[in-house]
Amino acid sequence: SRRLSAFCICSGYSRLIDGWCVAGTDRQMTSQKFRVLVVDDERLIADTLALIVSYSGHEALAVYSGREAIEKAVGFNPQILISDVLMPGFDGIELAKHFVTNHQHCRVLLISGHAERTRITHSLTSQGNSVQFLPKPILPQTVLAFIAACRNAK
């Protein structure tokens, strides 16, 4: 098994946390490889999440705005969207609504360290169970558990 340092994904920075281990065979054991689109206007967070998802055996693409996510989704055809809520212009809630309507096969995970939970919860109840919310900071294990749950739901 290979030992890695984990990233705690927080608003504005990534912090190393020791103790996160990924077995060297985890990539081969991934029975279903997902295409995961990661969206955050904080490039470090988007890139770090995409790296974690890629290392776990999935295909990940990091983008840095809601508009860019919509453009890239056409060719990338993601099965999972992981998006920050608060972004300039097209925010994560609007992006989730777009994906629920236009990419109905895609599961959505919204993350935020700043958003008002009531607003998010109200918006999500109208989107059904294809959209979920987690507060930042978010651990890699939590993101990977969401992806695993998507695999088990298929």
Side-chain angles (χ1 to χ4, degrees):
S1 126
R2 250 193 289 189
R3 182 165 171 83
L4 299 176
S5 293
F7 293 94
C8 180
I9 310 304
C10 302
S11 180
Y13 66 94
S14 295
R15 179 179 53 203
L16 289 175
I17 299 175
D18 292 326
W20 183 50
C21 297
V22 176
T25 57
D26 279 356
R27 285 192 222 184
Q28 292 95 12
M29 291 175 61
T30 301
S31 60
Q32 183 175 4
K33 180 178 172 178
F34 285 108
R35 287 179 309 281
V36 181
L37 184 59
V38 180
V39 188
D40 200 311
D41 59 318
E42 296 185 49
R43 289 177 179 265
L44 182 60
I45 292 175
D47 292 341
T48 302
L49 275 172
L51 180 66
I52 290 165
V53 170
S54 292
Y55 192 82
S56 297
H58 303 284
E59 186 177 350
L61 176 64
V63 298
Y64 313 109
S65 73
R67 294 278 179 219
E68 186 181 7
I70 291 170
E71 292 169 10
K72 296 291 184 179
V74 174
F76 188 62
N77 195 26
Q79 296 158 298
I80 298 173
L81 171 72
I82 300 172
S83 178
D84 187 23
V85 172
L86 295 180
M87 296 183 290
F90 208 78
D91 72 12
I93 292 174
E94 290 303 315
L95 186 60
K97 289 177 183 178
H98 172 84
F99 270 77
V100 166
T101 302
N102 298 293
H103 302 273
Q104 296 171 354
H105 67 282
C106 188
R107 298 285 306 268
V108 178
L109 174 62
L110 294 177
I111 59 174
S112 182
H114 304 291
E116 181 184 307
R117 187 178 286 262
T118 306
R119 175 177 163 245
I120 294 169
T121 303
H122 176 71
S123 295
L124 295 181
T125 53
S126 65
Q127 302 304 309
N129 59 5
S130 65
V131 178
Q132 293 184 19
F133 170 76
L134 290 172
K136 289 181 185 175
I138 185 168
L139 293 172
Q141 296 92 321
T142 306
V143 172
L144 298 177
F146 174 80
I147 294 171
C150 293
R151 178 177 34 248
N152 295 335
K154 296 281 177 187

